[in-house]
């Protein structure tokens, strides 16, 4: 199934869509496809360690996209998407630490582009079942990540998008 920009603009009355799934399921890649920009950190293993609330605004004229971290770096516009990626990493490490910790304190990123729909998307950390050795993750990391996902899912107006890798058995997906 191919999604077009008009498909998303027609559901723009929905307040948000939360993206759920296990670690390295491809959640950030799916979001980048919807937004139409390459700006999210991607890596092997644990990458999204704080919820990322993407508040997208569709620009009707073709212009260079920009982004603003409205709560943590207010007033500064980022036109270089590589800098946006670097700032997401820096803001994550500032709060969650550099040793793979996961924290339920969202980063709010406003993105303005002609390639994206008017929509709020939330990139959630993957559901983590086992604490990574020699990391800042507590023993109850599964409960923390599930609780974080549940908090976003509990709003009845939120559309839940579950991402499952193509080579995985959907019936065993943590997101479902």
């Amino acid at each position: 199934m191919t999604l077009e920009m008009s498909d998303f603009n027609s559901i723009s009355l929905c307040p948000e869509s939360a993206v759920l799934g296990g670690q390295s399921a491809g959640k950030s890649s799916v979001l980048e496809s919807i937004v139409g920009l390459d700006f999210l950190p991607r890596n092997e293993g644990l990458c999204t360690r704080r919820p990322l609330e993407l508040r997208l605004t569709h620009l009707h004229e073709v212009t260079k996209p920009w982004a603003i971290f409205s709560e943590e770096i207010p007033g500064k516009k980022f036109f270089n998407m590589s800098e946006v990626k670097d700032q997401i990493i820096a803001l994550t490490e500032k709060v969650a630490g550099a040793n793979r910790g996961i924290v339920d304190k969202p980063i709010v990123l406003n993105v303005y582009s002609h390639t994206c729909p008017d929509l709020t998307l939330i990139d959630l950390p993957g559901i983590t079942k086992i604490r990574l050795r020699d990391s800042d993750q507590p023993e109850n990391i599964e409960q923390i990540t599930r609780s974080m996902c549940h908090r976003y899912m509990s709003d009845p107006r939120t559309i839940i998008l579950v991402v499952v890798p193509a080579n995985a058995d959907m019936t065993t997906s943590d997101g479902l």
Side-chain angles (χ1 to χ4, degrees), residues 100-102 130-132 135-142 144:
R100 301 177 292 198
I102 296 175
I130 300 172
R131 176 188 180 274
L132 292 173
S135 73
D136 292 337
Q137 296 177 358
E139 293 294 329
N140 65 339
I141 191 65
E142 182 177 7
I144 290 170

Side-chain angles (χ1 to χ4, degrees), residues 8-172:
F8 286 105
N9 283 333
S10 67
I11 61 168
S12 64
L13 297 177
C14 297
E16 62 191 27
S17 294
V19 181
L20 306 177
Q23 284 183 336
S24 301
K27 298 178 297 296
S28 296
S29 297
V30 168
L31 289 175
E32 280 191 345
S33 294
I34 293 170
V35 176
L37 299 170
D38 178 12
F39 67 102
L40 295 174
R42 275 182 277 151
N43 198 346
E44 290 294 317
L46 187 62
C47 203
T48 303
R49 298 186 297 125
R50 291 176 66 185
L52 178 62
E53 295 184 10
L54 301 170
R55 298 178 182 168
L56 309 177
T57 302
H58 176 75
L59 301 176
H60 295 287
E61 53 198 58
V62 177
T63 184
K64 188 171 177 79
W66 75 89
I68 299 171
F69 293 92
S70 58
E71 295 182 8
E72 296 184 75
I73 311 172
K76 182 172 182 186
K77 284 185 179 179
F78 292 86
F79 290 93
N80 181 332
M81 293 300 130
S82 292
E83 286 182 39
V84 171
K85 189 179 298 192
D86 293 342
Q87 284 301 319
I88 291 170
I89 293 168
L91 292 171
T92 297
E93 290 186 355
K94 178 180 173 185
V95 174
N99 198 18
R100 301 177 292 198
I102 296 175
V103 177
D104 189 5
K105 183 176 188 300
I107 296 171
V108 177
L109 178 62
N110 298 72
V111 178
Y112 302 86
S113 175
H114 65 281
T115 64
C116 69
D118 290 317
L119 189 63
T120 296
L121 298 170
I122 301 163
D123 189 9
L124 293 168
I127 297 169
T128 305
K129 290 184 171 241
I130 300 172
R131 176 188 180 274
L132 292 173
R133 186 184 328 198
D134 300 325
S135 73
D136 292 337
Q137 296 177 358
E139 293 294 329
N140 65 339
I141 191 65
E142 182 177 7
Q143 182 211 354
I144 290 170
T145 55
R146 285 188 183 279
S147 166
M148 188 183 319
C149 292
H150 188 287
R151 183 171 59 82
Y152 280 96
M153 293 180 347
S154 63
D155 184 339
R157 298 169 298 159
T158 298
I159 294 172
I160 302 162
L161 175 62
V162 178
V163 177
V164 179
N167 63 352
D169 180 359
M170 201 166 72
T171 61
T172 62

